[in-house]
Amino acid sequence: MKRLILFLIVSNLLFVSCSINKETKLIELKTKSFQISIDEKGYISKLIDVETGTNYLSNDTIAPIMSVSRNDEIVYPQSAELKENTLILKYGEGVEATIKFEQKESHISFELLSLSNSENINLIIWGPYPSTIKKVIGETVGVVQGEEFAIGIQALNPKTLGGYPWNENDCMPQIDIFEQDDYSDMKEEGKRHVLYRVEAAKPTGFGSTLQAYCRNRLNDRIIENWGHEKYLAPAFEDGGYIGSKIALFGCPVKNALETIGKIEIAEGLPHPMIDNKWGKIAPSASSAYLIMGFGENDVDRVIAVTKKAGLKYLDHPGPFESWGHFKLNKKQFPKGIESMKNCVEIAEKQGIILGVHTLSNFITTNDEYVTPVPDKRLAKVGSSTITEEINKSQTEISVESPDFFNQYKNSHLNTVMIGNELIRYGVVSENEPWKLLDCQRGAFYTKASMHQNGSEISKLADHAYKVFLTNNELSKEMAENIAELFNKTGLRQISFDGLEGNRSTGMGNYGETLFVKAWYDKLNEKIKSHYIADASRTTHYFWHIYTRMNWGEPWYAGFRESQIEYRLKNQKYFKRNLMPAMLGWFLMTSETSIEDIEWLLARSAAFDAGFAFVCNYEAIEKNGNSDRIMHLIGEWEKVRIAGLFTEEQKQRMEDINNEFSLEKLNDKEWNFFQVFSGKFKHEKKLRQPGEPLYSTFKFEHIGNEKTINFILTAIDSDVSEITMEIDNYKKIVLATTIHAGELIKYTGGKKAYVYDKNWQLINKFEVDPSAFQVSNGEHSITFDCEFNKTGTEPMVKLEIRTFGTAENIFFK
């Protein structure tokens, strides 16, 4: 691997081609596949595919190589001059930028070395660079793709933010547009609605733009941030815009991801590995994983569940007593780090990799950063001074200014800090003299104290989870706390939830990036050689550190309903941003069915997307399908990771209304079936005498003659005298009674089975299998029953299922 990296670095350095075209006076910079031309005024005039000669620059707008913002007004270059390997851009009034460029096989880099007469210049902007390319816009990764050619931008250090300074708080906006496409979530014929998390690339009417920028953060700023109209963004020493650096590249579409990998290596960006492969292309990058709590005493039991499900990764959803120092729960890990390390080693011996879920820079109120002595680096909305001496018990505190304190919109703990004391308050007086009213002294077990007139008082930033947040210095320390946990225990998977909390630094996306960069930099080489990181948030630079995003929560409904539209839209986002796909979290309950599991697994296979499977002992023990569920997860995952599903099969599985089933034949061979499903409801009816009470439903079977399978569920009533008549001549009587919440399931053969709501077997009874045979085509089914001991809304849910022709899948 080291030899490969050395080869790539050397080959990149050897590729140099820079010239001034004598006829056009254009500065021409080239890579193996891409050429940039810069005119004498400092504007890009061509973005050329070297192989075809096609110029992808849009002429609908200007394309400055770099502009500056002086006194909040954008100033563009007036001239450009080539001096060896630097561009000299002049902006007037003595402002002159020196930009170093390097031409490498994969890309061209630009770095700001100096900027003269830079007083009142608050930021610099790379681009926007407009192109006519519009087929695929990867807004986060910063790559736009056409039919044949792709052009991209990469920020080469964290302070260079992918995006444009649309917001003073450096949080990138989201935009809704309609795009031409053929996906099923259409709102206009031939178009689809797309939510873009706009950053390094942006869709436009003429095609797209690529952009990045860097802000001078050497002075305090008051900005709108974190739900507050006034928020202090403290000064931050990172060299300002000097040293801001980007890469531009162009290549065939098929080589876009590979090219970014080469840029990472050439520029010393994070390039994490999984199983000796780059994390963005490793098969394990989209692995499904189990989320289940464990401790030193029961880790073997949870590992057994993980293995039964055929999974390799196991995440603990919440192993910490507090967030901040991330001390492990003593009940589960009595010896702390040593206990977790022991769990990791036990798991590794059985081929299982352990991970944890974190809330990034959220600090619980029981953590040592808060109590008994609060850390001065807790994030502050802003500060003032007290105007009177206060004693230990005073409940009204006079302040010089109400600013920062009377902002309640995103204030959940209403806490201020004076010295080493935390104080909670109710409201701020409406008129002068300004006072914090109804104060609770010595909050969160800090010490109530006397405070002198003129003492600083600061409003603390917080979150709806009832936690405090961090300034940049404390963010870095907390990230390193998590990294040290990984270094000492050998944990190798992490979910960075709540990354948006780092906006408390006043630096928006930059604050988020610095947090994860601090974590990555602190990891030892062993962990860096194989880890998986997903997150709730993403930024342009963070793309190089994380493995994947994993959005979609399971708490709101069943598998088929909980945020399903959101989950599917995310698949398009992942694809256009060149990252492994994931479906989010799914919760197993005691009532989870085989049919729901295979619905999920078909979606996973369709998008080649992993998922987090959340479960617990209670659900596993109560659910009569548990063993079958775990078996199916393992089999589907094995086939998916091996790439055995065809593109045609995947396309069918993308439609969430289609259902499928997988049958294992042996260790290397399976039968794959499309399932044709109709879901119906028969409700208790009040009709006039003589009017039928039955319901008639239509369903379709596609394929050769098959046996109808069905699931019949009693809702809010006991049900008896159940009859079904197929195609108006084959009458079937189900000789059983079921109670409310129970169900009957028939999957072929001479017996049907009665289950409780947790799929525990209650009873079974004889049926005639010949009565359930149907041919290809449309059919009708007439259903009737008696409702007994009814509730308020008695009904029967009936699902009819038939299986298409077996499609054989096997390892070649």
Side-chain angles (χ1 to χ4, degrees):
M1 186 65 199
K2 291 181 178 178
R3 289 182 180 179
L4 174 60
I5 293 174
L6 180 61
F7 169 76
L8 289 171
I9 292 173
V10 172
S11 63
N12 272 281
L13 292 174
L14 289 175
F15 195 95
V16 178
S17 174
C18 171
S19 64
I20 297 179
N21 189 304
K22 293 181 180 180
E23 295 181 3
T24 62
K25 296 183 179 180
L26 295 177
I27 300 169
E28 296 180 345
L29 308 177
K30 285 186 178 181
T31 71
K32 185 177 181 180
S33 57
F34 185 49
Q35 177 181 314
I36 299 173
S37 296
I38 302 171
D39 67 20
E40 58 190 5
K41 291 186 177 182
Y43 293 79
I44 291 180
S45 60
K46 293 181 182 179
L47 297 171
I48 296 177
D49 175 353
V50 170
E51 183 176 347
T52 65
T54 304
N55 179 16
Y56 288 99
L57 183 77
S58 172
N59 294 319
D60 285 36
T61 184
I62 59 174
I65 191 69
M66 191 191 84
S67 56
V68 301
S69 174
R70 182 171 55 200
N71 295 321
D72 297 322
E73 180 182 351
I74 304 299
V75 180
Y76 301 103
Q78 298 177 1
S79 66
E81 180 183 350
L82 180 64
K83 285 188 177 180
E84 296 180 351
N85 65 336
T86 60
L87 288 171
I88 308 299
L89 300 183
K90 296 183 179 180
Y91 298 84
E93 299 185 16
V95 178
E96 183 175 293
T98 301
I99 299 173
K100 177 184 176 182
F101 64 84
E102 290 186 81
Q103 299 163 102
K104 302 179 181 181
E105 182 180 1
S106 55
H107 66 286
I108 302 164
S109 67
F110 298 90
E111 180 181 5
L112 180 60
L113 297 183
S114 65
L115 189 63
S116 63
N117 293 320
S118 58
E119 296 80 6
N120 300 320
I121 293 179
N122 55 306
L123 56 83
I124 60 103
I125 303 167
W126 300 101
Y129 307 121
S131 83
T132 57
I133 295 176
K134 59 183 178 181
K135 182 179 180 182
V136 179
I137 314 297
E139 68 269 47
T140 299
V141 71
V143 179
V144 296
Q145 302 175 49
E147 294 294 339
E148 303 291 339
F149 201 68
I151 298 176
I153 187 171
Q154 294 291 287
L156 298 182
N157 49 40
K159 71 178 179 180
T160 304
L161 301 183
Y164 190 86
W166 291 291
N167 298 313
E168 187 72 11
N169 62 11
D170 299 319
C171 297
M172 297 300 106
Q174 297 186 342
I175 62 172
D176 295 284
I177 67 170
F178 284 100
E179 270 192 354
Q180 190 70 32
D181 210 312
D182 59 356
Y183 293 104
S184 59
D185 54 341
M186 297 180 187
K187 294 190 178 179
E188 293 183 6
E189 186 176 355
K191 294 185 178 181
R192 66 179 174 120
H193 183 255
V194 179
L195 177 64
Y196 278 99
R197 301 165 174 91
V198 175
E199 240 186 314
K202 179 184 178 184
T204 66
F206 54 75
S208 58
T209 59
L210 299 169
Q211 54 273 320
Y213 72 102
C214 187
R215 188 182 295 279
N216 181 357
R217 303 179 188 275
L218 300 180
N219 299 303
D220 289 352
R221 296 180 298 133
I222 302 296
I223 62 174
E224 184 177 343
N225 185 50
W226 201 241
H228 302 296
E229 292 184 4
K230 296 180 180 179
Y231 194 102
L232 175 66
F236 180 61
E237 176 57 68
D238 63 355
Y241 33 66
I242 303 302
S244 178
K245 189 176 182 182
I246 64 165
L248 292 177
F249 69 92
C251 63
V253 166
K254 64 181 181 180
N255 297 335
L257 187 57
E258 176 187 1
T259 300
I260 296 175
K262 291 180 179 179
I263 293 171
E264 287 183 349
I265 293 171
E267 298 292 342
L269 297 177
H271 189 74
M273 310 295 285
I274 305 172
D275 299 326
N276 297 316
K277 291 186 178 181
W278 181 33
K280 289 297 187 292
I281 62 173
S284 296
S286 63
S287 292
Y289 61 100
L290 187 72
I291 295 182
M292 189 171 177
F294 60 85
E296 192 172 19
N297 292 330
D298 67 346
V299 67
D300 282 307
R301 186 179 176 190
V302 183
I303 288 171
V305 175
T306 311
K307 293 174 70 175
K308 183 178 288 188
L311 301 179
K312 185 179 177 181
Y313 293 89
L314 167 64
D315 259 23
H316 197 304
F320 306 113
E321 287 186 348
S322 68
W323 303 329
H325 286 81
F326 298 103
K327 289 186 176 180
L328 294 164
N329 186 306
K330 291 185 178 65
K331 291 183 179 179
Q332 294 178 318
F333 306 98
K335 297 179 182 177
I337 294 290
E338 184 180 341
S339 292
M340 177 63 87
K341 182 180 179 182
N342 186 38
C343 290
V344 169
E345 291 172 350
I346 291 170
E348 284 184 347
K349 289 177 181 177
Q350 300 185 61
I352 303 299
I353 293 172
L354 299 191
V356 294
H357 175 267
T358 69
L359 266 296
S360 301
N361 75 321
F362 289 16
I363 304 177
T364 48
T365 57
N366 64 331
D367 191 81
E368 292 173 22
Y369 286 129
V370 175
T371 185
V373 178
D375 196 291
K376 305 303 180 187
R377 300 167 297 174
L378 292 173
K380 300 174 178 65
V381 177
S383 302
S384 183
T385 56
I386 61 174
T387 57
E388 296 178 353
E389 179 180 299
I390 58 174
N391 62 31
K392 297 179 182 180
S393 58
Q394 245 172 276
T395 59
E396 294 185 359
I397 299 174
S398 298
V399 294
E400 183 177 8
S401 170
D403 291 351
F404 305 121
F405 305 96
N406 59 5
Q407 302 178 111
Y408 309 114
K409 184 178 179 181
N410 197 29
S411 183
H412 306 279
L413 291 173
N414 272 22
T415 301
V416 296
M417 178 191 291
I418 311 178
N420 290 331
E421 183 183 1
L422 298 183
I423 302 169
R424 302 183 76 176
Y425 66 97
V427 294
V428 180
S429 60
E430 295 183 0
N431 302 296
E432 294 187 74
W434 306 111
K435 291 185 177 183
L436 308 187
L437 306 177
D438 192 21
C439 295
Q440 298 176 14
R441 303 297 301 277
F444 307 112
Y445 301 101
T446 60
K447 184 177 181 180
S449 307
M450 294 181 60
H451 301 285
Q452 299 297 317
N453 181 13
S455 296
E456 182 179 76
I457 180 171
S458 301
K459 172 69 177 289
L460 296 185
D462 59 39
H463 183 271
Y465 284 17
K466 300 290 186 181
V467 292
F468 293 113
L469 301 167
T470 57
N471 72 4
N472 182 66
E473 183 182 351
L474 188 52
S475 278
K476 182 175 184 292
E477 184 170 301
M478 280 184 62
E480 291 177 344
N481 289 345
I482 300 171
E484 279 300 296
L485 174 68
F486 274 59
N487 291 339
K488 291 176 180 178
T489 63
L491 290 164
R492 290 179 183 268
Q493 179 161 308
I494 188 168
S495 292
F496 284 114
D497 203 353
L499 271 179
E500 68 277 6
N502 286 280
R503 295 176 178 179
S504 63
T505 61
M507 297 192 291
N509 284 21
Y510 188 22
E512 296 176 40
T513 298
L514 287 175
F515 182 89
V516 291
K517 181 67 161 54
W519 172 81
Y520 177 82
D521 289 344
K522 192 70 173 180
L523 293 177
N524 61 40
E525 291 304 315
K526 183 178 179 180
I527 303 299
K528 284 182 180 179
S529 69
H530 183 137
Y531 75 75
I532 287 181
D534 61 40
S536 63
R537 289 274 310 151
T538 176
T539 61
H540 174 64
Y541 188 92
F542 184 29
W543 187 96
H544 301 290
I545 297 174
Y546 67 72
T547 312
R548 68 218 179 175
M549 295 292 105
N550 192 26
W551 292 319
E553 297 183 356
W555 321 118
Y556 313 109
F559 280 19
R560 307 176 192 230
E561 297 88 20
S562 187
Q563 296 189 325
I564 188 60
E565 183 179 1
Y566 176 66
R567 294 175 194 268
L568 295 182
K569 283 185 177 180
N570 281 334
Q571 304 316 306
K572 312 303 189 269
Y573 170 80
F574 301 147
K575 186 174 182 179
R576 68 179 183 257
N577 283 286
L578 306 177
M579 66 178 81
M582 296 293 286
L583 285 174
W585 291 26
F586 290 84
L587 176 66
M588 177 183 171
T589 71
S590 61
E591 299 178 29
T592 299
S593 69
I594 295 297
E595 291 70 29
D596 282 346
I597 284 293
E598 290 210 287
W599 181 92
L600 159 62
L601 295 170
R603 281 19 333 142
S604 173
F607 299 103
D608 195 15
F611 55 91
F613 193 61
V614 186
C615 62
N616 54 56
Y617 290 135
E618 182 180 7
I620 292 172
E621 289 168 357
K622 284 186 176 181
N623 192 312
N625 289 326
S626 289
D627 286 346
R628 179 68 177 154
I629 285 171
M630 297 305 172
H631 168 78
L632 284 169
I633 290 173
E635 294 305 312
W636 277 84
E637 187 75 351
K638 186 187 299 182
V639 175
R640 178 181 74 86
I641 293 294
L644 300 184
F645 290 112
T646 68
E647 290 305 313
E648 188 274 335
Q649 288 168 340
K650 289 180 182 180
Q651 188 173 5
R652 276 187 280 148
M653 287 188 284
E654 282 191 16
D655 187 338
I656 62 173
N657 296 309
N658 290 341
E659 302 202 31
F660 301 85
S661 185
L662 190 69
E663 177 188 31
K664 181 180 179 180
L665 300 178
N666 54 59
D667 287 343
K668 295 186 177 182
E669 189 176 8
W670 298 261
N671 275 338
F672 175 70
F673 300 92
Q674 182 159 354
V675 180
F676 303 97
S677 172
K679 299 175 178 66
F680 313 107
K681 292 180 181 179
H682 172 71
E683 299 175 301
K684 186 175 183 179
K685 304 178 181 71
L686 294 176
R687 299 281 176 86
Q688 63 185 356
E691 185 175 358
L693 299 179
Y694 60 76
S695 299
T696 301
F697 311 116
K698 300 287 186 180
F699 68 95
E700 183 177 16
H701 168 63
I702 300 176
N704 300 326
E705 185 174 85
K706 288 285 184 177
T707 300
I708 289 175
N709 290 200
F710 69 85
I711 302 171
L712 187 155
T713 308
I715 306 294
D716 211 21
S717 175
D718 294 352
V719 175
S720 62
E721 298 186 32
I722 303 165
T723 63
M724 292 189 284
E725 189 171 275
I726 299 173
D727 295 335
N728 296 315
Y729 77 97
K730 287 200 289 188
K731 188 172 183 179
I732 303 162
V733 178
L734 301 184
T736 191
T737 296
I738 57 174
H739 302 292
E742 295 177 351
L743 49 89
I744 302 170
K745 185 172 184 179
Y746 176 66
T747 58
K750 295 182 178 181
K751 293 187 183 298
Y753 298 86
V754 180
Y755 298 91
D756 69 11
K757 66 179 182 178
N758 296 324
W759 295 100
Q760 297 292 342
L761 182 64
I762 298 173
N763 192 14
K764 56 187 174 182
F765 58 94
E766 298 286 335
V767 297
D768 179 5
S770 65
F772 293 97
Q773 295 294 306
V774 293
S775 59
N776 180 61
E778 288 193 356
H779 300 273
S780 68
I781 187 164
T782 301
F783 182 89
D784 202 358
C785 69
E786 286 290 328
F787 291 102
N788 312 304
K789 298 181 181 179
T790 64
T792 56
E793 297 183 21
M795 73 171 69
V796 166
K797 288 184 178 180
L798 175 64
E799 180 177 357
I800 298 295
R801 296 168 64 84
T802 61
F803 289 69
T805 304
E807 302 169 45
N808 194 240
I809 294 175
F810 56 91
F811 281 106
K812 296 181 179 179

